[in-house]
Amino acid sequence: MKLTNEYLLNVLKAVEKRNPNEPEFIQAVTEVFVTLQPVIEKRPDVVEAGVIERLVEPERQIIFRVPWVDDSGAVKVNRGFRVQFNSAIGPYKGGIRLHPSVNLSIIKFLGFEQTFKNSLTTLPMGGGKGGSDFDPKGKSDAEIMRFCQSFMTELSRHIGADCDVPAGDIGVGAREVGYFFGQYKRLRNEFTGVLTGKGLTYGGSLARKQATGFGLCYYTNEMLKANGKSFKDQTVVVSGSGNVAIYACEKATELGAKVVAMSDSNGYVYDKDGIDLDAIKQIKEVERKRISEYLKYRPNAEYHEGSKNIWTVKCDIALPCATQNELDGVGAKALADNGCYCVSEGANMPSTPEAIEVYFAKGMLYGPAKAANAGGVATSGLEMTQNSMRLSWTFEEVDEKLKGIMVSIFKACDEYSKAYGMPGNYMAGANIAGFMKVAESMKAQGAV
Ligand code: NDP
């Protein structure tokens, strides 16, 4: 699909001019605009209310210095970001990413996408995202703690349980959320649900850790079912070996699939007998080591340097769960040539525009990130509810609610894709469904 609508083309031009050097943000906006064309043609009221121009400009962007002291006593300085993108349907909500590649473009693309994703969950959450170019790899626990405390010292001025509720993302798991939460509590002298992904002993929700990966499989399962297929006996490739990848692997296996490959940023492992997830958890969650260590547990498996080549592994279903733009046109073509018929995204924007073109050209099933990985933030929403009620649900209760939400997200994608004349295009369905609720709310609240 090409962008031909004159009005949207003009807005995109203005976005490009206003945000030079932000390729990821422009990529995310372009993808959404392409799929919103039929909506714009049907809804002149949305155009008149300036919804589109407002949607592409964050409500607030905060950039700050994060000074911290390393174990040798040297002062280090990183850059911190929080982009509060859209609060039309609820408090800003979105994770914090700690990775050396973090810059304003990446945080803005994530915050923009988050707005639609959160709308799809059916829960009252606006869109936001934050992070820093701090690299947690190789840092001691004490260094991580000092960095997190410094980051939160500034961030605490801008967030709150009814205003902006951050969570984890790449490089931020329970350990980092704990340090953020502790510092927030100390500075503000209040114990509130200001962060999600908290530890279970101090307000965290059961099943939050598993939620994005499990939710991805629930969504994918619905998409497969609607097209006469299932996970049963399918060969699956999962990229990444972090929070999302691990629990996607666990649920796909539980649903009858065999996961044969996983990766990290250095390379990938191929295990024809099926990935030993206990080994991956030990290496990644406990020891925080490289995936190449897997061969110590399974000597018959293979390790290949270079994570991109994971897409050359023959599979039926691919679940990219590492990072943005990890799957390009070449990777997509390799998947299709090897018989892969379904790509469903655990990571945010893992497929390049060229890869997405391949999926459509080859008639593959495509589960877009905004919908397919919304289970994480949906369960964060459930954590917020439990915090407000000051009680906690069982694992089974949360998991059941998560499943219900993912089923309803797929239904919305399916229905909206059909209503706008693009049946089976779940990317368009997700973008339009997510957009409509936000657009109606923005219209109702006036030009704010
Ligand atoms: P983690 O930090 O737990 O894991 C990230 C994984 O991706 C690691 O295995 C990492 O390898 C790998 N990775 C990171 N950068 C690259 C790269 N440039 N090339 C190849 N591999 C890379 O993060 P999460 O699992 O939480 O997040 C993964 C993705 O899912 C992200 O896109 C995130 O935005 C998205 N997501 C996460 C949610 C959550 O609840 N956590 C919710 C929704 C989306 P290495 O260790 O070598 O860096």
Side-chain angles (χ1 to χ4, degrees), residues 97 137 169-171 208 212 241-244 265 290 322 347-348:
R97 175 176 293 193
K137 277 202 199 87
D169 189 73
I170 291 180
R208 172 61 187 91
T212 310
S241 47
N243 174 260
V244 180
S265 54
R290 310 315 300 158
N348 283 312

Side-chain angles (χ1 to χ4, degrees), residues 24-42:
E24 292 86 1
F25 177 54
I26 307 288
Q27 181 182 337
V29 172
T30 308
E31 182 218 284
V32 168
F33 277 14
V34 168
T35 54
L36 287 186
Q37 292 181 103
V39 183
I40 295 306
E41 278 147 27
K42 271 196 192 169

Side-chain angles (χ1 to χ4, degrees), residues 97-99 101 109-110 114 117 129 137 167-173 208-209 211-213 239-246 263-267 284 289-291 307-308 320-324 326 346-350 369 373-377 380:
R97 175 176 293 193
L98 300 182
H99 193 270
S101 64
F109 111 68
L110 290 164
Q114 194 83 47
K117 182 188 307 192
K129 200 82 189 185
K137 277 202 199 87
D169 189 73
I170 291 180
V172 176
R208 172 61 187 91
K209 182 170 75 170
T212 310
S239 67
S241 47
N243 174 260
V244 180
I246 285 176
S263 61
D264 63 19
S265 54
N266 293 105
K284 290 294 177 182
K289 287 194 175 151
R290 310 315 300 158
I291 204 164
S307 51
K308 282 221 157 177
C321 295
T323 194
Q324 68 275 353
E326 56 167 312
N348 283 312
M349 204 168 77
N373 74 19
V377 73
S380 276

